[in-house]
Amino acid sequence: MLAAARAVVVVASTVVLAGLVVAAALTGLPVFTVLAPIAGAFWLLVLIDSGYRIGREWAHRRRRRASRAQRDAWTPAANVRPPTDYPGVLRRRPGNDPVDHQGDFRAVGIRLAVLPALAVLFLTVQTLFINNGEPLAFGFILAECLLLVAMIWTIWTGQEPNKPWVVNRMRAEIFRREMFLLLSGVGPYLDLSDADAQRVRDARLNILDNADRPQLDALNRFVERTPLGDEQHWQDEVWRRNSPQAGPAADTVDRMRTYLDHRIRRQALFMELALAKCERTEKSLGRVAKAMVLAGIAVALIYATLLLTAPDDRAPSTTAAIVALLAAGLPPMCNAVLAIQNLFAAQRLAVSYRETREELLGHETTLRTLLSGPAPSDETVSFKALAVRVELTLAEEQRRWRIIVVKPEFDAGL
């Protein structure tokens, strides 16, 4: 559906551009001649934006097909209860998907990265191929100015450009964490009955639903503040209280199995898939950037050769003008690719995902050992302590992710 809508937008903008070009050619009116390059500039921006979104949707479907075997291998056994089978554990309401906000942020960032290169290309075309004083030359200059104004306007008005993405991912992660804290009975739910735990859950979710960054940061902490002002860390509290088992052994084992499959293994699968995606993205953008650098060097050498061998009394040939256009356009296009590479930050994210996955695999081994061995007297306490360590691992990944992706504004270098 999204790809079809974007295709309609591209077709509509193409029709408008073609109509202006035909009107300029048939009527010769200066107004159509001036508007044609401006429409061409906006058509290129629409093409880039729609092309990215269509390509993103297509790539997502391709990755889903390619990762089907990995996701099937994760599928829990039939005797493993889903989290929502336990009292108080809720399913997150649909909507405000962080992935959609991510796509919006990156679409604007890519457009901003390409704007300076397009402005250079429009100026170069006007300089090399169009005589000064013609309406078409004025149209190209005006198109260049509008592209630069659009770039400056986007930077100035785009304060905290990825805030919707960051806030909604934090909300999604904290909601998911709350449900698994409730399932394992740790953190704010330690030693509470089902009824009390659900009252605490409702109060915390009410804060979460309306929270902005400061409130989310407060919910993200793994400490409770006592009436005296002291801070009690959740992991310390598990061992300090050494809580007796609240239910039968079978219930504890069921919760451990659910936590293993639906929290640890599922998050490890997410990290594995995200790591592969980042590595592919980094490799592809790196190859394009290197190819553009090499092409820019080659074109510059060819242009220098043409200048040295051309007679002084002859005007530059069409071939030399085209080579000059490539020589002027390739460096800013290479800079645009590097800006997009920085926007995706795939290499840094891959490092974080790899480290988190390795830690989760260690936690998985610990929990499997606890499940397969003879039940110790402190089985419940050991499981609760492990659950806090797992949540700390995932919270640390989220903290690193925020350091990498959060931007107070779009970089001017884009």
Side-chain angles (χ1 to χ4, degrees):
M1 182 64 68
L2 176 62
R6 290 290 168 180
V8 170
V9 172
V10 172
V11 171
S13 61
T14 303
V15 170
V16 172
L17 175 61
L20 284 173
V21 172
V22 171
L26 294 179
T27 65
L29 293 176
V31 62
F32 293 127
T33 305
V34 171
L35 288 177
I38 299 173
F42 281 102
W43 176 80
L44 287 174
L45 294 179
V46 169
L47 189 65
I48 291 168
D49 184 82
S50 299
Y52 164 71
R53 294 179 185 272
I54 293 173
R56 188 172 184 270
E57 183 179 351
W58 174 82
H60 175 71
R61 293 177 180 176
R62 181 175 58 83
R63 287 194 302 269
R64 293 283 295 181
R65 290 193 299 267
S67 64
R68 184 173 298 143
Q70 294 169 280
R71 289 183 283 109
D72 290 343
W74 164 80
T75 304
N79 62 339
V80 177
R81 297 166 61 185
T84 50
D85 271 8
Y86 296 92
V89 178
L90 304 176
R91 190 182 303 276
R92 185 168 181 261
R93 293 189 296 270
N96 288 324
D97 194 338
V99 175
D100 296 333
H101 295 292
Q102 178 201 62
D104 295 337
F105 163 70
R106 287 180 172 173
V108 175
I110 290 172
R111 186 167 67 246
L112 187 60
V114 175
L115 278 172
L118 292 180
V120 171
L121 287 176
F122 271 72
L123 178 62
T124 305
V125 168
Q126 183 272 323
T127 304
L128 293 175
F129 298 98
I130 305 171
N131 296 326
N132 294 332
E134 294 184 1
L136 189 59
F138 179 71
F140 269 89
I141 294 174
L142 190 58
E144 178 209 359
C145 293
L146 290 176
L147 288 172
L148 294 177
V149 168
M151 180 186 70
I152 296 172
W153 178 261
T154 302
I155 294 174
W156 283 356
T157 60
Q159 301 301 307
E160 297 184 292
N162 55 3
K163 182 179 178 179
W165 174 27
V166 172
V167 168
N168 280 280
R169 194 209 162 180
M170 289 182 66
R171 285 177 178 165
E173 295 293 345
I174 292 174
F175 177 89
R176 191 176 294 115
R177 178 190 307 157
E178 287 294 317
M179 296 303 103
F180 282 102
L181 291 174
L182 178 60
L183 182 146
S184 54
V186 294
Y189 309 102
L190 184 63
D191 293 345
L192 296 183
S193 64
D194 289 342
D196 291 338
Q198 291 179 32
R199 280 194 289 270
V200 173
R201 176 207 66 190
D202 291 341
R204 290 174 66 86
L205 292 185
N206 184 57
I207 297 173
L208 178 63
D209 288 340
N210 303 289
D212 207 343
R213 285 281 296 276
Q215 293 80 16
L216 292 172
D217 289 335
L219 287 172
N220 225 3
R221 303 187 67 195
F222 281 67
V223 296
E224 294 290 334
R225 189 174 294 277
T226 67
L228 298 177
D230 299 329
E231 289 187 344
Q232 297 175 339
H233 196 282
W234 293 348
Q235 190 170 16
D236 296 337
E237 288 301 295
V238 170
W239 293 107
R240 187 182 68 83
R241 299 186 194 182
N242 197 16
S243 307
Q245 189 167 312
D251 183 67
T252 298
V253 172
D254 284 347
R255 290 173 185 264
M256 291 165 65
R257 288 172 177 165
T258 299
Y259 194 87
L260 172 63
D261 283 341
H262 288 271
R263 187 53 164 167
I264 299 178
R265 291 185 61 227
R266 187 169 187 173
Q267 287 297 132
L269 173 63
F270 171 82
M271 297 299 164
E272 182 180 352
L273 297 177
L275 170 62
K277 174 187 173 183
C278 288
E279 288 178 340
R280 286 194 300 268
T281 300
E282 182 68 19
K283 186 179 295 183
S284 299
L285 291 175
R287 287 175 176 173
V288 172
K290 292 173 184 176
M292 283 197 167
V293 169
L294 294 175
I297 295 173
V299 169
L301 292 175
I302 293 172
Y303 185 55
T305 302
L306 291 175
L307 291 178
L308 291 173
T309 57
D312 295 336
D313 56 346
R314 290 181 56 188
S317 64
T318 303
T319 302
I322 295 174
V323 173
L325 175 63
L326 293 175
L330 282 173
M333 288 303 299
C334 180
N335 183 70
V337 175
L338 294 176
I340 295 171
Q341 193 174 24
N342 180 64
L343 177 75
F344 279 76
Q347 187 176 34
R348 288 169 286 169
L349 288 173
V351 173
S352 178
Y353 293 147
R354 184 181 294 108
E355 182 175 332
T356 304
R357 180 175 177 273
E358 291 174 356
E359 292 183 29
L360 289 173
L361 293 178
H363 296 318
E364 178 183 350
T365 301
T366 302
L367 187 50
R368 287 189 183 278
T369 302
L370 189 60
L371 280 167
S372 62
S377 58
D378 61 348
E379 181 182 48
T380 302
V381 177
S382 299
F383 166 55
K384 290 183 176 183
L386 176 63
V388 177
R389 292 201 300 273
V390 172
E391 300 305 328
L392 280 168
T393 295
L394 296 174
E396 177 62 20
E397 183 277 325
Q398 187 185 139
R399 187 186 71 85
R400 290 194 299 263
W401 173 82
R402 287 171 57 191
I403 292 174
I404 293 171
V405 305
V406 168
K407 290 181 178 293
E409 63 179 10
F410 282 111
D411 297 332
L414 292 175

